[in-house]
């Protein structure tokens, strides 16, 4: 009874906070979309993996990973900075969105050109390169994602949710139709392109429905210089993170073959499916943390500490049962043909703890204009991942790649803090987040 009364008291205090309802509703919408979208995409993805088999599924994953190596360039590190600037001054909305859109479009074109050149230095066959060309062509329409960041800044994520759910369900149905008619791998790559087009089109529709117009967007060259001045470390960080996130599958393909990539990709899919939780919570609640700094530094860091603690223990609560159930889950969902994936999942699932820490710390770094440290962490983790993969994959196969990923993410999120005095405060917050006594208290 005492616990019930304490929880009731805590809830009443939360509801008394200004803006609680707005942020709670926004977070609820994001979770709703992710749960629906994740459920639909995940189970259809399982069906697709079963249909394609480890070799073809591995080839598709390799093509997507190859494109993913360069996607950090297209974002230009503007996402978090755009949200920050829109929160600070909405009167510059049209200039911020217009300028960011043009910059992202230039970045997307650059990615396509780089991929077209990069494939010439691989030993890929013509079919593999065709898959890569189709997937990378969807990059150009992703520039309209600036609308999504506008909705984030206004705590109006429900509009993005509508679009994402429609996109997920539409593409899921198309994939099921392809399986029913026994269609080839190339058509699944086309669906990947179609998904980007549908999502971007939906964002435009939602933006216009808010009585806003894309034709009011304006390019401001001075603003572009200022945005890029703040974002250049994030540009390099984005490139480093893209390499870090995708290089393992590219290296596995070249060292062990596409079937090994298929097994590894299945384990990663099961591990990364939970990453939406720290991202949704952090994206939704961070505007409240930013606003807290306007009130007091103490409140700012109190809210930041609570966010770290929440993210860490959600990740641990997911990782523990998955560790013991990995083999059973893989066999249940994907079948015996992916029998190597379970041992990878046991290791890879713990990456989520450090991903959560990195997501929160990354937002804090952007808000404090300490993006250069984001870059240092990303570079350190990318270099570590490449070197560890180089030695561990030949020795331990795809399990070695999982170990490399875990160590690399730990370096980026946590160990890098010890090398810079500016990050010392985050080390302390992270230590407190792991203290279960504070959680229970």
């Amino acid at each position: 009874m005492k616990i019930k009364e304490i929880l009731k008291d805590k809830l009443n205090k939360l509801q008394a906070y200004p803006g609680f309802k707005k942020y709670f509703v926004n977070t609820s919408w994001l979770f709703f979309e992710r749960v629906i979208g994740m459920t639909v995409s995940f189970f259809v993805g399982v069906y697709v993996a079963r249909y394609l088999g480890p070799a073809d599924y591995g080839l598709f994953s390799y093509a997507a990973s190859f494109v993913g190596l360069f996607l950090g360039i297209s974002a230009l590190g503007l996402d978090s900075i755009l949200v920050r600037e829109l929160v600070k001054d909405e009167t510059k909305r049209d200039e911020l969105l217009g300028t960011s859109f043009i910059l992202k479009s230039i970045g997307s074109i650059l990615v396509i050109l780089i991929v077209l050149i990069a494939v010439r230095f691989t030993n890929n066959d013509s079919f593999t390169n065709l898959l890569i060309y189709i997937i990378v062509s969807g990059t150009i329409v992703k520039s309209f994602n600036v609308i999504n960041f506008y909705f984030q800044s206004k705590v109006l994520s429900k509009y993005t949710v509508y679009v994402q759910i429609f996109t997920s369900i539409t593409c899921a149905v198309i994939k099921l139709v392809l399986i029913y008619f026994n269609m080839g791998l190339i058509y699944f790559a086309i669906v990947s392109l179609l998904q980007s087009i549908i999502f971007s089109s939906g964002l435009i529709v939602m933006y216009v429905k808010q009585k806003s117009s894309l034709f009011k967007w304006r390019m401001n060259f001075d603003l572009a210089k200022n945005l890029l001045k703040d974002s250049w470390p994030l540009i390099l960080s984005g490139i480093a993170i893209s390499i870090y996130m995708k290089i393992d599958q590219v290296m596995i393909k070249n060292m062990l073959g596409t079937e090994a990539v298929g097994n590894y990709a299945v384990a990663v899919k099961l591990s990364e499916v939970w990453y939406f939780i720290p991202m949704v919570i952090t994206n939704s609640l961070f505007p409240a943390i930013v606003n807290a700094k306007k009130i007091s530094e103490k409140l700012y860091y109190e809210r930041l500490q609570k966010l770290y603690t929440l993210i860490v223990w959600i990740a641990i609560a997911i990782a523990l049962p998955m560790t013991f159930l990995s083999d059973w889950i893989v066999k249940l969902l994907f079948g015996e043909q992916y029998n190597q994936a379970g041992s990878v999942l046991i290791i890879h699932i713990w990456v989520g703890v450090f991903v959560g820490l990195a997501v929160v710390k990354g937002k804090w770094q952007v808000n404090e204009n300490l993006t250069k440290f984001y870059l240092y962490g990303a570079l350190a983790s990318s270099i570590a991942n490449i070197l560890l993969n180089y030695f561990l994959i030949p020795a331990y196969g795809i399990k070695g790649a999982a170990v490399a990923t875990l160590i690399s993410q730990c370096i980026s999120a946590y160990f890098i803090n010890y090398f810079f005095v500016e990050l010392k405060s985050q080390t302390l917050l992270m230590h407190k987040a792991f203290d279960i006594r504070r959680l229970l208290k």
Side-chain angles (χ1 to χ4, degrees):
M1 188 68 181
K2 186 178 179 181
I3 294 175
K4 185 178 179 181
E5 290 174 357
I6 291 171
L7 290 173
K8 186 177 179 181
D9 181 59
K10 291 287 185 183
L11 182 59
N12 290 334
K13 287 180 179 178
L14 274 174
Q15 291 174 333
Y17 284 142
F20 167 78
K21 184 177 179 180
K22 179 174 69 171
Y23 291 112
F24 178 77
V25 169
N26 190 64
T27 305
S28 300
W29 271 108
L30 287 170
F31 262 101
F32 175 73
E33 178 272 311
R34 289 297 183 176
V35 169
I36 298 297
M38 179 191 71
T39 302
V40 172
S41 299
F42 179 76
F43 284 105
V44 173
V46 169
Y47 197 24
V48 170
R50 278 178 169 268
Y51 169 73
L52 293 176
D56 277 354
Y57 187 67
L59 183 59
F60 180 79
S61 297
Y62 164 76
S65 295
F66 189 88
V67 173
L69 288 175
F70 309 98
L71 284 181
I73 300 172
S74 63
L76 291 177
L78 292 173
D79 298 350
S80 296
I81 290 173
L82 178 57
V83 174
R84 183 191 72 188
E85 295 303 312
L86 285 167
V87 170
K88 284 183 179 179
D89 188 359
E90 196 199 339
T91 61
K92 294 181 179 178
R93 181 192 68 180
D94 292 326
E95 284 189 350
L96 283 166
L97 293 178
T99 302
S100 298
F101 173 76
I102 295 298
L103 291 174
K104 280 175 169 282
S105 297
I106 294 170
S108 298
I109 293 169
L110 187 59
V111 167
I112 293 172
L113 293 175
I114 291 172
V115 169
L116 292 176
I117 295 169
V119 293
R120 298 182 179 275
F121 295 92
T122 67
N123 58 358
N124 297 338
D125 57 39
S126 57
F127 180 74
T128 302
N129 286 340
L130 179 58
L131 292 176
I132 291 172
Y133 297 150
I134 292 171
I135 293 171
V136 76
S137 60
T139 307
I140 190 67
V141 297
K142 291 181 179 178
S143 302
F144 286 101
N145 279 7
V146 295
I147 298 172
N148 176 28
F149 300 113
Y150 166 70
F151 287 145
Q152 279 188 31
S153 70
K154 295 293 292 178
V155 199
L156 292 172
S157 294
K158 65 179 181 179
Y159 299 117
T160 304
V161 169
Y162 297 151
V163 176
Q164 189 63 65
I165 290 177
F166 175 78
T167 304
S168 297
I169 292 175
T170 302
C171 291
V173 170
I174 294 172
K175 288 176 184 177
L176 292 174
V177 171
L178 293 178
I179 294 172
Y180 180 79
F181 286 102
N182 200 31
M183 304 299 282
L185 180 58
I186 193 74
Y187 294 96
F188 291 91
I190 294 172
V191 174
S192 177
L193 166 61
L194 186 62
Q195 186 168 351
S196 298
I197 295 172
I198 294 172
F199 182 68
S200 296
S201 301
L203 286 177
I204 294 170
V205 170
M206 285 297 170
Y207 186 72
V208 172
K209 279 195 170 186
Q210 302 309 302
K211 298 181 180 177
S212 301
S213 173
L214 274 63
F215 296 105
K216 291 182 179 180
W217 289 3
R218 300 187 302 278
M219 175 69 179
N220 184 315
F221 289 97
D222 290 331
L223 180 59
K225 290 178 184 177
N226 290 331
L227 289 174
L228 291 175
K229 183 180 177 182
D230 283 349
S231 73
W232 73 264
L234 292 176
I235 297 173
L236 298 178
S237 301
I239 296 170
I241 290 170
S242 295
I243 294 171
Y244 155 73
M245 293 293 290
K246 301 299 180 182
I247 195 65
D248 47 4
Q249 295 191 38
V250 174
M251 294 179 75
I252 289 169
K253 191 262 185 183
N254 288 299
M255 292 181 180
L256 303 176
T258 56
E259 193 164 327
V261 178
N263 275 275
Y264 186 80
V266 159
V268 172
K269 184 181 183 69
L270 287 168
S271 178
E272 293 183 351
V273 73
W274 307 102
Y275 291 2
F276 80 92
I277 295 176
M279 292 176 184
V280 165
I281 294 174
T282 304
N283 286 338
S284 186
L285 297 182
F286 215 81
I289 295 174
V290 172
N291 287 329
K293 192 171 185 179
K294 299 174 184 177
I295 301 170
S296 76
E297 198 79 7
K298 182 182 177 183
L299 180 62
Y300 175 58
Y301 280 100
E302 281 179 356
R303 288 187 176 181
L304 192 61
Q305 176 67 77
K306 289 176 181 178
L307 182 58
Y308 269 123
T309 304
L310 176 64
I311 295 299
V312 162
W313 286 98
I314 287 175
I316 291 173
I318 292 167
L320 275 174
M322 289 289 286
T323 300
F324 298 103
L325 298 173
S326 293
D327 284 321
W328 178 78
I329 290 172
V330 169
K331 289 177 183 177
L332 175 68
L333 294 175
F334 295 94
E336 290 287 344
Q337 59 183 335
Y338 290 97
N339 57 12
Q340 298 177 50
S343 58
V344 176
L345 181 58
I346 291 172
I347 303 166
H348 204 285
I349 192 65
W350 288 96
V351 176
V353 175
F354 298 100
V355 167
L357 292 176
V359 168
V360 178
K361 189 178 78 169
K363 288 285 188 179
W364 172 80
Q365 287 171 326
V366 170
N367 193 54
E368 296 295 317
N369 210 18
L370 295 172
T371 50
K372 63 180 180 179
F373 298 107
Y374 197 86
L375 169 61
Y376 300 154
L379 287 174
S381 63
S382 296
I383 293 170
N385 201 25
I386 292 170
L387 291 174
L388 289 168
N389 275 317
Y390 182 78
F391 291 106
L392 294 179
I393 291 175
Y396 302 102
I398 55 178
K399 287 189 289 186
V403 172
T405 300
L406 178 59
I407 295 173
S408 302
Q409 186 63 52
C410 185
I411 290 171
S412 173
Y414 177 72
F415 284 115
I416 196 75
N417 299 347
Y418 286 96
F419 293 90
F420 303 101
V421 66
E422 292 88 345
L423 302 180
K424 191 174 181 181
S425 64
Q426 301 309 290
T427 307
L428 182 60
L429 293 177
M430 289 179 187
H431 285 170
K432 289 180 179 179
F434 281 98
D435 187 348
I436 194 169
R437 293 172 300 177
R438 291 178 57 86
L439 179 70
L440 294 173
K441 183 179 177 181

